[in-house]
Amino acid sequence: AKKVTFLLSAGRQLALDKSGIVANSMKKIETFQPGQEHSWYFDIYPKQMTQLGEHDVLLKVTEHFNDWAYVGNETTKRIPLTVRE
């Protein structure tokens, strides 16, 4: 079992709320067992300045060693998202 932090970052041109203020969401799991699954759903909105085209949403998973302050392993995944009219 590990302590795990999930960070979703929508970047500068996208947001996780309709007002365009919230760009990041972090979830901490105190005990994440091997083979265990978690699901979260996020609505992603364009900001007023958002340009059409492809934008990256960043997902970062951090494994912690004994304490939240110590990083054991970190994995980053860029997820392309296309903005259309």
Side-chain angles (χ1 to χ4, degrees):
K2 302 219 178 215
K3 291 179 185 283
V4 180
T5 302
F6 293 88
L7 174 66
L8 180 73
S9 178
R12 292 180 181 238
Q13 297 211 15
L14 302 172
L16 300 176
D17 66 335
K18 288 184 179 181
S19 67
I21 297 172
V22 179
N24 300 310
S25 179
M26 183 185 302
K27 306 284 185 186
K28 289 188 174 188
I29 300 175
E30 185 73 35
T31 307
F32 193 76
Q33 300 293 336
Q36 186 176 0
E37 294 182 16
H38 281 273
S39 296
W40 295 286
Y41 296 93
F42 297 93
D43 292 323
I44 299 177
Y45 301 94
K47 294 183 180 180
Q48 287 183 340
M49 66 176 184
T50 301
Q51 297 175 356
L52 300 179
E54 192 171 284
H55 301 282
D56 286 336
V57 175
L58 181 72
L59 176 63
K60 187 188 303 187
V61 179
T62 306
E63 296 177 18
H64 300 277
F65 180 74
N66 289 335
D67 190 318
W68 295 109
Y70 300 105
V71 175
N73 191 14
E74 192 170 77
T75 304
T76 303
K77 174 84 174 176
R78 293 191 179 282
I79 303 165
L81 184 74
T82 303
V83 176
R84 298 182 185 155
E85 278 189 33

